[in-house]
C-alpha cells in the first residue's frame, strides 16, 4: 500500500520553529493533513519525542522516533529509528555542544506538556554542531537499527551536497525538500531512495507530498525500506 509521510518537522524545542509548534499540535496537524507517518526531528535534541509518540497513539498516526543531528562538518542528518529506546541509546553517544543558548540571538527552546503548557527550556544551544563526523553518525545510527539520511540536499544551508560536493554511496536514502524540482528528484531517484519532507517550522507547511509503498503499515517496515535504499 501507499502511505503518506512527513518525517522532518521541528517542534518549538528547535529555536528556529514557531512557539506554537508543540508536539501535540504538530502530531494533530499531521493527522488532519492525511499523513500516516510523522516525525518530530528537532536540532540535536530528542526531548519532545516521547510526548509526540503518545500523541500519535491518541490520534491514530504513527510517530517515527527522530532527531536532526548537525555534524562536525555543519551537515544536517535526519536520523530515524524503529523505537524511542533505540533513538535514545543512539543519541546518548552523540557529543553535542554544551554551549549555552542565547535566546536574544537564536530564539526560545521550549519544552511543553500534553496540554501545550510550557514546562521548561533547553539551556544548550541546539544550533551548534556536535563533535562527530557525518559518516560516524551514519554508522552509529545503523548500529542501532536506524538510518541517517542527508537532509534537504537540494538546499544550500547545511546540505551534504553543498558542503562535500556529493553524497557518498554509503547513504542509501537522501532527503529532498518539498521545493525540489522535478529534475532534481529524477536525478537523485536514479542514485538512491528519495524521501521528500517539509522541514516545517510552522504548522502551515506540514506536507503530505511524501509517499512510500510498504508491505505493512509499521514504523519498522518504513525504517527497513529506508535502510534498503533504491530497489528499482
Amino acid at each position: 500500500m501507499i502511505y503518506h509521510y512527513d518525517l522532518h518537522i521541528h517542534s518549538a524545542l528547535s529555536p528556529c520553529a514557531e512557539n506554537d509548534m508543540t508536539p501535540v499540535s504538530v502530531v494533530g496537524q499531521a493527522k488532519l493533513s492525511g499523513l500516516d507517518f510523522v516525525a518530530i526531528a528537532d536540532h540535536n535534541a530528542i526531548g519532545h519525542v516521547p510526548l509526540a509518540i503518545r500523541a500519535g497513539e491518541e490520534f491514530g498516526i504513527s510517530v517515527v522516533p527522530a532527531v536532526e543531528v548537525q555534524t562536525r562538518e555543519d551537515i544536517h542528518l535526519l536520523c530515524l529509528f524503529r523505537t524511542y529506546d533505540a533513538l535514545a541509546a543512539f543519541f546518548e553517544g552523540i557529543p553535542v555542544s554544551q554551549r549555552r543558548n542565547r535566546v536574544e540571538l537564536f530564539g526560545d527552546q521550549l519544552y511543553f506538556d500534553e496540554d501545550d503548557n510550557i514546562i521548561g527550556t533547553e539551556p544548550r544551544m541546539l544550533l551548534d554542531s556536535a563533535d562527530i563526523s557525518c559518516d560516524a553518525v551514519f554508522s552509529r545510527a545503523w548500529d542501532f537499527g536506524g538510518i541517517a539520511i542527508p537532509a534537504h540536499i537540494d538546499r544550500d544551508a547545511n546540505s551534504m551536497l553543498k558542503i562535500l560536493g556529493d553524497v557518498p554511496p554509503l547513504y542509501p536514502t537522501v532527503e529532498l525538500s518539498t521545493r525540489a524540482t522535478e529534475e532534481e528528484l529524477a536525478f537523485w531517484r536514479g542514485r538512491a531512495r528519495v524521501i521528500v519532507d517539509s522541514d516545517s517550522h510552522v504548522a502551515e507547511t506540514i506536507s503530505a507530498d511524501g509517499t512510500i509503498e510498504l508491505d505493512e503499515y509499521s514504523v519498522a517496515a518504513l525504517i527497513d525500506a529506508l535502510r534498503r535504499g533504491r530497489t528499482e
Side-chain angles (χ1 to χ4, degrees):
M1 289 186 63
I2 302 297
Y3 299 98
H4 293 263
Y5 64 80
D6 193 344
L7 303 177
H8 191 165
I9 301 172
H10 291 273
S11 79
L13 180 53
S14 292
C16 46
E18 294 297 311
N19 287 351
D20 61 358
M21 293 287 278
T22 71
V24 173
S25 67
V26 168
V27 175
Q29 183 60 49
K31 178 66 174 181
L32 291 174
S33 298
L35 295 177
D36 302 295
F37 297 97
V38 64
I40 286 178
D42 284 314
H43 292 287
N44 291 337
I46 63 172
H48 271 161
V49 175
L51 179 53
I53 292 172
R54 294 197 299 272
E57 293 168 352
E58 290 291 324
F59 294 138
I61 180 173
S62 291
V63 174
V64 182
V67 62
E68 186 175 31
V69 174
Q70 183 167 311
T71 72
R72 184 184 297 146
E73 304 93 340
D74 290 334
I75 290 169
H76 284 181
L77 292 178
L78 175 66
C79 301
L80 306 170
F81 296 86
R82 294 179 177 90
T83 66
Y84 175 74
D85 286 345
L87 167 65
F90 158 82
F91 189 71
E92 186 177 7
I94 300 297
V96 296
S97 171
Q98 298 301 315
R99 186 161 59 148
R100 294 186 67 84
N101 185 39
R102 295 181 62 183
V103 174
E104 69 279 8
L105 292 179
F106 302 107
D108 295 314
Q109 299 178 157
L110 303 176
Y111 286 106
F112 287 86
D113 66 12
E114 62 274 10
D115 296 316
D116 290 348
N117 298 309
I118 297 172
I119 57 172
T121 61
E122 173 56 55
R124 289 188 294 112
M125 187 182 296
L126 299 183
L127 295 181
D128 265 355
S129 293
D131 188 18
I132 187 171
S133 71
C134 53
D135 289 357
V137 171
F138 178 88
S139 296
R140 184 170 178 81
W142 195 270
D143 289 345
F144 283 98
I147 182 72
I149 300 169
H152 44 68
I153 61 171
D154 56 306
R155 289 165 37 189
D156 289 335
N158 304 107
S159 159
M160 179 178 287
L161 181 60
K162 302 302 181 184
I163 292 173
L164 299 184
D166 199 2
V167 176
L170 171 68
Y171 300 88
T173 297
V174 298
E175 180 197 61
L176 274 70
S177 75
T178 52
R179 292 174 285 178
T181 66
E182 289 300 322
E183 291 78 10
E184 289 171 319
L185 290 167
F187 174 80
W188 285 103
R189 283 170 177 157
R191 292 186 52 178
R193 181 182 288 275
V194 172
I195 60 172
V196 178
D197 294 314
S198 68
D199 191 12
S200 284
H201 297 74
V202 296
E204 292 78 11
T205 57
I206 292 173
S207 171
D209 289 350
T211 61
I212 191 169
E213 185 173 1
L214 301 173
D215 292 334
E216 66 175 41
Y217 177 46
S218 70
V219 172
L222 174 68
I223 298 300
D224 287 345
L226 299 179
R227 282 166 62 99
R228 285 195 301 271
R230 187 172 69 94
T231 57
E232 63 276 7

